[in-house]
Amino acid sequence: MSEIHPLVSDLALILVVAGVVTLVFKRLKQPLVLGYVVAGFLVSPHMPYVPNVIDNADIHTWADIGVMFLLFSLGLDFSFKKIMKMGISPFIAATVIIFSMMLLGYTVGHVFGWGKMDCIFLGGMLAMSSTTIIYKAFDDMGLKQHKFAGVVMSVLILEDILAIVMMVMLSAIASDQGADGGQMLMSVVRIVFFLVLWFVVGIFAIPLFLRQVRRLVNAEVLLIVSLGLCCGMAWLSTSVGFSSAFGAFVMGSILAETIEAERIERLVEPVKNLFGAVFFVSVGMLVDPAILSKYALPIAVLVCTILLGQSIFGTFGFMLSGQSLKAAMRCGFSMAQIGEFSFIIASLGLALGVISDFLYPVVVAVSVITTFLTPYMIRLALPAYEQLEKNMPRKWVKRLNRLTVSRNNTTAANTNLWRRLLMAMTRNTVIYGVLTAAVIAIMRTIVLPLVHKVVNEWWIDIAIALTTLAIVAPFLRAIVMKKNHSEEFKALWIENRWNRPMLILTIVLRIALVAFFIYIISRGFLHMSWALSLSAITVIIVLITLSRRLKHRSIRMERLFIHNLRSRDIEAQVLGRRKPLYEGHLLDRDVHIAEVDIPEGSRWAGKALRDLKIGNRFGVHVSSILRGRRRINIPGGRTVLFPGDRIQAIGSDSQLASFNTAAKNEIFEDDPDIEKREMHLRQIIIADDSPFVHQTLQESGIRDTYKCMVVGLEEGEENLTPISPTRQFQHGDIVWIVGEEANLKRIEELL
């Protein structure tokens, strides 16, 4: 008899124990993450008298896959557009909290005499509050709808994103522990370069691919394609020196901008839950009771560090971001715990072999304790504020709240033309510069050597150089010309003549960057002299600036990118979950869009728009009809309305109000004789003197006159035969009919 592979038996043990423990934790209303950690502790080699996992290496491989899928799912929840719309306040709070807690964690580790890398990674672990645990606590305590809870969640989202960057930075530090400031700066530049490159190329390519195959993709295929893209980007990320988790997150954030994002999220969730459970169980497997007892004092100190540090620095960070003292304290106290990202950072440190073995179980113990204390810290915020308010001079409290208001006003006042213009120019220059650099690098390091292996002639270098220049020409033109004719540029040029030298300087700097790229092409591919390169740079810049063809190519590319980036927004507008963009222009003209639902029992249902004469009666214009997942734009007069339709109409407040009132009120009244509408089945026998003898079903009027329906003709004890409309009733026919009691009696009276 064949034996089962240890991997299968280990997985069975893990899932069975995890299932039982999580049921207990669900009953106790505790986060499932803690249940998984406890389950891992129970199946670890440190627990005698119970079955243990045999092959830890395979489990850790599955755990790495779990981290990858966890971050892929995080990316699906993430949106660059949402982050940009948050404003600067969450960035300020998140940056202050992370920097303060990292410094505090490093200091505590240094006090205990731990190694440098242990202290650095410890700081990263203590800086990461748990989104899962805090969300669960808010949900259980009924605080999700409170304003401060929304502020906390926005900062947690940013913390998760910054944690991804932190993991990449920690990997860079671990790979070269003697890294100086310059090397760290190059690591940051490298992260930004690949992040921009992958995101921009992904937004161009992936939505186009999914759009082309949309009709061929069902749930199974979409799941396979999504996981394939996730694993492919994870492989690419590791190939260029980043972690697989970073690549998975990037692919998730790209797919988050597609129409299929919500479907992918639902399909991937079971896979994420499975491998995520294995990861958190593997976390618990590393918890050694002997280490916990040995490091009981550091664990207690770290718990106090998190509780006090988040309460103080968290409150300070949220106050700097514009929150009042009361709201800032509620936000800061809510974040006093660590969770899943701390485990991931600890796993990274172990995988890189740069942290001590004791640090992982210590952090897990700290996470468990702070998680249990989270609801109490949230409840403690208001009493702590009240005590602080009583003991603090009233002038100080007023100054703190006044500082918040004045800071918000100052932020709003600083939103000026210069900032908007420079932000737009910087964004465009970075994006197109990254694309240009990537194309040049690929052509120089990959394409050129491959072609030289086949044909090694002098003209090959010229051909590849010209091809490279043709590919990057739209990018170079966009760098030079973009925003030179924008409203901000024109307004600043007209507003003050002293603005003009600075505006000209922005153009000169961008021309210099383009000249640098052209110089790299001329020297890297063709080895031109300085004088010849300078001449080529001048000619090429003039040509790409004056070329209308390049202008149209650049505009088409940008429009395609923006269209792909707005795919989910467009879908939301089509399905009626968001108002159309043109509504803002209507508001300037004292009209707007409103949605009116056609209720059940509406007298309008089944009627065409031209028969209802909505425009004549109410003065509104029907722009669209939303029907399920369909959107009927500019419906014609013959379009028939159905119950459940949602009408988008354009009009003034009074017109739309009367239209909405009529739609709600013009319905059929409830039937006062509803009890009489019960249907009965009755058997009748056609006699000699029956008026139905020798009449067909249609001639008898049973359906049209008496409002009854013939079910069939009885033949034998069990058979009913359908009656043909042309068959005549005969003497002795036994007919079964269905109808209301009153109508059946009318027929029986005739018989």
Side-chain angles (χ1 to χ4, degrees), residues 257-274:
E257 306 298 342
T258 65
I259 293 177
E260 289 79 7
E262 293 181 3
R263 288 183 62 200
I264 294 173
E265 194 171 354
R266 289 194 300 269
L267 292 171
V268 170
E269 186 174 9
V271 180
K272 177 204 71 173
N273 291 340
L274 172 62

Side-chain angles (χ1 to χ4, degrees), residues 638-712:
R638 296 182 178 179
T639 304
V640 177
L641 295 181
F642 292 92
D645 281 353
R646 176 168 294 176
I647 298 176
Q648 286 190 341
I650 301 173
S652 64
D653 288 339
S654 58
Q655 291 170 339
L656 292 170
S658 60
F659 177 49
N660 185 46
T661 301
K664 290 181 177 180
N665 294 336
E666 294 185 20
I667 59 177
F668 290 102
E669 297 179 357
D670 293 338
D671 190 351
D673 299 322
I674 189 67
E675 295 85 358
K676 298 179 181 179
R677 302 293 175 242
E678 183 182 9
M679 299 285 283
H680 297 273
L681 178 65
R682 194 69 50 81
Q683 180 192 70
I684 63 173
I685 301 175
I686 307 298
D688 286 338
D689 56 349
S690 172
F692 301 143
V693 174
H694 305 306
Q695 287 188 346
T696 64
L697 184 59
Q698 184 175 3
E699 293 171 346
S700 66
I702 292 177
R703 187 183 189 96
D704 298 331
T705 304
Y706 300 100
K707 306 301 180 185
C708 295
M709 181 178 66
V710 175
V711 177

Side-chain angles (χ1 to χ4, degrees), residues 321-561:
S321 71
Q323 299 298 318
S324 65
L325 178 60
K326 180 179 180 181
M329 289 186 68
R330 298 189 75 181
C331 294
F333 278 57
S334 300
M335 300 183 67
Q337 82 292 117
I338 59 175
E340 57 274 9
F341 254 114
S342 300
F343 302 155
I344 294 173
I345 293 173
S347 298
L348 176 66
L350 281 181
L352 295 172
V354 295
I355 66 173
S356 304
D357 292 338
F358 72 86
L359 193 57
Y360 202 126
V362 165
V363 169
V364 172
V366 171
S367 173
V368 172
I369 297 172
T370 55
T371 297
F372 280 116
L373 294 176
T374 295
Y376 302 100
M377 290 296 295
I378 296 174
R379 293 190 183 99
L380 182 63
L382 285 179
Y385 169 75
E386 292 170 357
Q387 288 296 322
L388 186 63
E389 190 179 28
K390 288 180 182 179
N391 298 318
M392 182 184 292
R394 297 183 64 84
K395 292 182 179 180
W396 290 17
V397 178
K398 290 182 178 179
R399 285 179 181 176
L400 289 173
N401 290 326
R402 193 179 301 119
L403 175 65
T404 299
V405 175
S406 62
R407 186 202 164 278
N408 287 335
N409 291 337
T410 303
T411 303
N414 288 335
T415 306
N416 51 36
L417 293 173
W418 268 116
R419 194 176 75 173
R420 293 205 304 269
L421 179 64
L422 293 178
M423 287 286 290
M425 284 183 173
T426 303
R427 182 172 59 249
N428 290 325
T429 302
V430 169
I431 291 174
Y432 288 114
V434 167
L435 291 175
T436 302
V439 171
I440 294 174
I442 291 172
M443 298 296 287
R444 182 74 180 85
T445 60
I446 298 177
V447 176
L448 186 61
L450 287 176
V451 175
H452 274 171
K453 289 182 179 179
V454 180
V455 181
N456 193 4
E457 299 289 342
W458 62 270
W459 53 268
I460 289 295
D461 293 345
I462 298 176
I464 293 179
L466 293 176
T467 302
T468 304
L469 188 60
I471 295 173
V472 302
F475 308 149
L476 299 179
R477 189 189 188 284
I479 293 174
V480 175
M481 301 300 295
K482 194 70 177 172
K483 294 299 177 180
N484 290 349
H485 301 287
S486 63
E487 295 298 327
E488 294 87 355
F489 193 99
K490 294 177 182 177
L492 289 168
W493 186 273
I494 297 172
E495 180 185 280
N496 192 334
R497 65 178 182 175
W498 297 108
N499 289 335
R500 297 176 184 180
M502 290 299 296
L503 292 172
I504 294 173
L505 180 62
T506 62
I507 299 176
V508 171
L509 291 176
R510 286 178 286 151
I511 291 176
L513 178 62
V514 170
F516 173 72
F517 283 129
I518 299 174
Y519 172 76
I520 291 177
I521 295 174
S522 63
R523 295 282 293 177
F525 290 90
L526 304 178
H527 309 289
M528 290 183 178
S529 64
W530 279 94
L532 195 57
S533 295
L534 184 60
S535 301
I537 289 170
T538 305
V539 172
I540 293 171
I541 289 178
V542 171
L543 290 177
I544 65 175
T545 303
L546 299 178
S547 175
R548 298 187 65 84
R549 185 175 180 181
L550 282 180
K551 176 181 178 181
H552 294 318
R553 281 179 59 191
S554 178
I555 292 174
R556 284 199 304 269
M557 290 170 55
E558 187 168 339
R559 285 177 178 173
L560 176 61
F561 177 81

Side-chain angles (χ1 to χ4, degrees), residues 294-325:
K294 180 180 179 181
Y295 289 89
L297 178 60
I299 291 173
V301 172
L302 289 175
V303 169
C304 295
T305 300
I306 292 172
L307 297 180
L308 294 175
Q310 286 286 6
S311 301
I312 297 172
F313 293 116
T315 299
F316 180 67
F318 280 104
M319 286 185 64
L320 287 180
S321 71
Q323 299 298 318
S324 65
L325 178 60

